[in-house]
Amino acid sequence: MSSPINALVVIPTYNEAENIASLCKAVSEVPGVGRVLVVDDSSPDGTADKVREAARALPLDIIVRSKKDGRGGAVLDGFASGLQNASFTHFVEMDSDFSHNPTEISRLFEQTGKYDLVIGSRYIPGSSISNWPLRRRIFSYLANRFARFMLGVPVRDYTNGFRVYSRKAIEALDRKSIQPKGFITLSAILLQLYLKGFSVTEVPTNFVNRIRGVSNLSRREIFEALRSVFELRRLRKQ
C-alpha cells in the first residue's frame, strides 16, 4: 500500500438482525477501515435497530431505504453518501451474512496501491467455495465465463460483491447507466470502470455461502443472466 487507507465499508442488508452487529464489529476492527455504513431496505426483522444499537460503540452509520429495491442500488446509495466525506480514500462493498470474511479485507487492501478495483474472486487459484449446491456452482462458473467471453474484461469473477474501489473510480461512475438490480449490476460497474481505463485485479477469497432454505435455480434467473450480458455487450459497442 503506497499511502494510508481510510475506507468506508458499505454493507447492504435485508433481514440480517441475527448477525449484523457481529459483522460490523469484525469489519470495523480491520486496519484501514474508517467507518462502516449499513444500507438497509426496511428489514421487517429489526435489522436497523440492531445497527443503531451497535453504533453506540462502533464507527457505524445506517441508511434505511423505504423498500427492498436491489442490492446494487443499496451499494450505490452507500457510495453516494460516502463521497460526501472527503476523507475516505477507498470504498468497500461486501455481503452482510459472513459469506465474505471480514479478515480478508486486508488482503484486498494490499493491492490498492496498484489497482483502482480489487475483486475478491472465487475463481482463481487459492480460492474456495463452501456450502453451495453443485447446480448453483456450475451456473455461476459458466455465467462468469460467458460474461468474460462477451465483455472482454480480463477477470474471472464478474459477480462476487466483495470489492475495494479507489475513490477516483467511484467518483467516475455514471450511476444513471447502471441497473440497480440483478445479475447485471456488478458486471456493469466492472465494465464501466474498465472501459474508462481504471485498473482491475483479483485476489483469492474463501466464499462461504450461508444456507438459508432451498436454493432453486429457475429458468427465469438463467434467462435474465444471459439477457443482461447481451445488453452490456450492446452498450459496450455504442
Side-chain angles (χ1 to χ4, degrees):
M1 294 178 285
S2 59
S3 59
I5 289 176
N6 181 35
L8 175 69
V9 180
V10 177
I11 305 175
T13 57
Y14 187 75
N15 286 349
E16 298 292 350
E18 291 184 6
N19 46 261
I20 190 60
S22 57
L23 177 68
C24 290
K25 183 177 187 300
V27 170
S28 67
E29 292 173 349
V30 175
V33 171
R35 292 195 73 82
V36 179
L37 174 61
V38 172
V39 183
D40 184 64
D41 279 0
S42 293
S43 300
D45 72 341
T47 296
D49 291 335
K50 293 291 186 181
V51 174
R52 294 187 186 102
E53 182 179 347
R56 298 172 185 170
L58 299 174
L60 174 61
D61 300 304
I62 185 169
I63 294 173
V64 179
R65 304 200 304 171
S66 61
K67 62 180 180 178
K68 194 173 189 295
D69 197 32
R71 179 194 187 280
V75 170
L76 291 171
D77 282 351
F79 289 165
S81 176
L83 285 175
Q84 298 176 38
N85 186 333
S87 71
F88 292 130
T89 62
H90 292 80
F91 294 82
V92 180
E93 68 169 300
M94 64 186 298
D95 289 346
S96 55
D97 58 4
F98 281 99
S99 57
H100 303 143
N101 189 333
T103 64
E104 292 186 356
I105 296 174
S106 295
R107 184 186 299 172
L108 275 63
F109 280 167
E110 289 173 359
Q111 300 301 317
T112 57
K114 299 178 182 178
Y115 299 95
D116 296 295
L117 169 53
V118 184
I119 301 171
S121 175
R122 298 163 294 184
Y123 301 116
I124 62 175
S127 299
S128 66
I129 298 175
S130 301
N131 295 338
W132 227 2
L134 180 60
R135 189 180 184 192
R136 172 71 61 173
R137 187 179 301 198
I138 292 172
F139 168 71
S140 176
Y141 176 77
L142 292 178
N144 276 283
R145 288 289 297 269
F146 180 67
R148 177 170 177 162
F149 173 75
M150 294 292 288
L151 304 178
V153 183
V155 301
R156 297 187 185 182
D157 199 340
Y158 280 64
T159 59
N160 194 20
F162 188 28
R163 300 176 169 185
V164 177
Y165 304 83
S166 68
R167 184 183 183 92
K168 63 181 180 179
I170 296 302
E171 290 174 336
L173 279 177
D174 176 13
R175 178 171 179 175
K176 293 181 180 179
S177 67
I178 300 173
Q179 180 177 312
K181 297 181 181 180
F183 173 89
I184 197 172
T185 307
L186 287 161
S187 299
I189 293 172
L190 171 63
L191 178 62
Q192 187 181 129
L193 292 178
Y194 179 73
L195 293 179
K196 289 183 176 183
F198 289 96
S199 54
V200 182
T201 193
E202 296 175 281
V203 299
T205 188
N206 299 305
F207 178 84
V208 181
N209 184 60
R210 185 177 62 182
I211 299 173
R212 174 183 282 177
V214 178
S215 178
N216 293 314
L217 185 62
S218 67
R219 291 183 180 180
R220 180 177 180 181
E221 185 175 0
I222 294 172
F223 172 79
E224 286 299 318
L226 296 175
R227 183 197 63 77
S228 297
V229 173
F230 278 110
E231 177 67 13
L232 283 179
R233 182 176 174 87
R234 182 185 68 79
L235 291 174
R236 175 170 186 169
K237 291 183 176 181
Q238 290 180 351

